[in-house]
Amino acid sequence: MRPSQRAPRSESALGPVNPAPLGTLYLALALPPTDPWTLGLLAAFCFTLFALIRSRRNAGLAQKALKDKKAKATTLERFADIALEDAEVGRWVWDLKKDKVEYSAGWRRMMRLEPDDLRGDLNDWFQRIHPNYLGEVKEAIAAHLEGKNPRFECDFRIQRGDGTYLWVLSRAAAHRDAAGKPEYLVGAQIDITAVVDVEKRVLHDAYIDKLTGLPNRRAFQSILERACEQSARDNFQFAVVFIDLDRFKQVNDSLGHGVGDELLAAVSARLNRQRRSGDTVARLGGDEFVALLGDIIEPEQAVDAAKRIHRALCEPFRLGRHEVYSGGSIGVAVSGCPSCDAETILRQADQAMYQAKTGKTGVALFSETMRSKASRELSMQSELVRAAERSEFQLYFQPIVDLRSWRIVSAEALLRWTRPDGERVRAAEFIPLAEELGLLGELGELALRMACTQRAEWFAQGFQQFRMAVNLGSLQLQKHDLAAHVESILLQSGLDPQLLEIETTESALIDSLHVASRNLARLDSIGVGLSLDDFGVGYASLSYLQRFPFQSVKVDRSVMGELEPGSKAVSLLRGMVTLAHSLDMRAVAEGVEAPAHLETLRELGFDRAQGFCLGRPMPAEQLTQLLAGEARMLRERLTAREATTSH
């Protein structure tokens, strides 16, 4: 049963005023008060008043009108116009002694029945009530006749003569004899189908995502809460799969939001095809989806299902004339702990998804290790906000060596964070947190400013022949005034632009190609060096080599593989070097850890190398000593050469 108190219909639902029922009202008032039809007419108008204006005060006035004939006429005339201009009332009177029912003409019109269609008993009514509601109607009538409720009131579906169904609200009150025994049940019903339709639309909009047709966050939260209750009660195990699309922002920015919406709809359809019977797929918002998998025996079942979803999302999407590759990062959390509520398991699945995204594994299952990591990250977030104010960031520098002269020709500046307790936090750990907090741009500027200042100090100390390499991320490249800002920092630090090299990645360029292109062109024009980092692991790096004025490409360590003679890795690297040199760019090998690989890289034609075997990231003081030693060795070589020449 739904609540019977409903909002009044809108103006568009009103029909023309019918004066005939008002004449019927006057006729009823002229009849003897004990006549059943008199009672039926009066109760019908009172009922209509209750249903449409929902006013207890007015209901009290109507009840008082039944006791006082003069007051009754005045009150009902005042309310009749309101009632009649909104809906026709279908009235009925059940004579309990004779077990006969009389139905008004309005009831027959509402039900699309002719007088010959009715037998005059209660079955005329009961047999048309939808089976799902008949039991409730009978129980409510019985409860009223037994005196348990002051009146009968139900809303239910009922079938009309033409076979269609409508929703009605029905109310009735018993007329009792002096002993309190019911003699008549006098009632009426009104058509509330329009109101129910509005309720359904409101409910649909509240719980269904308009774009995809999937349940939304509110609906999924309700479903998940019920699953948690069932899990605690019946030892029922389920899993939550959290899905975050990859490269969705790229699709929106490059192809437009219309294509982005088409992608979301296509993803929802593909997820629905992967859904088992009884599972639920929902859209939380943006490019985030979630699935609830029921009846999970082992966590591996949920992981296998997540892998199937991942494979499905990695297939291309055909959107009009565009073929789009998206993919996704998926986290899985399985119910099990007694205190596991809806919020907790959804958060666990979200944490697992984040692990899959950062680890580039596609799918990850939540574990206690992630819980500890999440707790640690929460602690670090509050400290990270104040770390810059406390001067807790330092720069470490990793040398980049020329493979012909074995001299340091560049040093990459790497930001490090030392927490108040002395713990040194790796950039791979705090950079993602800074991105979540919106601090990435601020930290990038801090690193650039500190690097330029340090390089200017080294220049003043006589170390003039190497560049300072600084990595710029997506947020910085998107700024329209980036080039001017870099020029300002160079001017403030007194550093020659030719001693600065900017490194960036393909993923950073994707987010804002036009602005990034203009910024890099301006930096190149003033003499700042440009290098494409992580070359070989993206999707469109070759086109970027043509589009942007890079002087170097840094081949990612993941491409190195096993540098065995004749291996595919060696052939691939040789091709990359040839490509770089054909475009008049330097080829730099990243992540070189084995000294034995250096000679192989020289033979392949690499110009420079960077890695642990050549020097780990180190503080400025240590690199200063390394530079001084290199300068001393160079002076000794020059002196020895001059001595040999003089002899």
Side-chain angles (χ1 to χ4, degrees), residues 5 76 80 94 122-123 160 164 182 187 210 218 349 381 494 581 588:
Q5 288 79 12
L76 290 179
W94 180 17
L122 206 58
N123 285 330
R160 294 187 285 196
T164 60
K210 292 182 179 179
R218 179 186 295 179
Q381 281 181 342
H581 288 169
V588 183

Side-chain angles (χ1 to χ4, degrees), residues 471-619:
N471 197 290
L472 292 188
S474 171
L475 291 178
Q476 292 162 290
L477 290 174
Q478 291 178 34
K479 291 184 176 180
H480 292 272
D481 61 345
L482 171 65
H485 192 61
V486 172
E487 289 184 75
S488 175
I489 292 176
L490 289 170
L491 184 62
Q492 293 172 20
S493 62
L495 182 64
D496 186 337
Q498 296 189 11
L499 295 180
L500 176 65
E501 184 172 34
I502 296 298
E503 295 185 359
T504 190
T505 64
E506 173 198 343
S507 59
L509 294 170
I510 283 176
D511 290 334
S512 186
L513 290 175
H514 180 69
V515 177
S517 177
R518 189 169 62 249
N519 279 326
L520 294 183
R522 173 58 182 165
L523 292 173
D524 176 62
S525 69
I526 64 175
V528 174
L530 301 175
S531 178
L532 180 62
D533 201 3
D534 297 341
F535 180 66
V537 296
Y539 293 88
S541 295
L542 296 180
S543 64
Y544 288 1
L545 293 181
Q546 292 180 310
R547 181 169 184 173
F548 298 100
F550 293 115
Q551 291 96 46
S552 301
V553 290
K554 299 181 73 173
V555 179
D556 189 80
R557 68 186 67 195
S558 64
V559 185
M560 296 296 175
E562 295 295 330
L563 297 182
E564 300 295 334
S567 67
K568 291 183 178 180
V570 169
S571 300
L572 180 61
L573 291 172
R574 182 179 288 112
M576 287 184 170
V577 171
T578 301
L579 175 64
H581 288 169
S582 67
L583 295 173
D584 198 23
M585 298 179 187
R586 291 182 292 270
V588 183
E590 281 189 299
V592 184
E593 299 183 0
H597 290 166
L598 291 173
E599 189 58 35
T600 302
L601 293 172
R602 276 170 52 102
E603 292 175 359
L604 290 174
F606 274 91
D607 303 289
R608 299 174 179 179
Q610 177 183 2
F612 285 174
C613 70
L614 295 169
R616 291 177 176 271
M618 60 190 74

Side-chain angles (χ1 to χ4, degrees), residues 245-253 257 259-261 263-264 283 286-287 326:
L245 297 185
D246 295 335
R247 294 181 293 281
F248 178 69
K249 186 177 187 301
Q250 176 188 353
V251 172
N252 260 347
D253 292 347
H257 290 275
V259 176
D261 287 347
L263 176 59
L264 292 174
R283 181 189 176 207
D287 61 350
S326 178

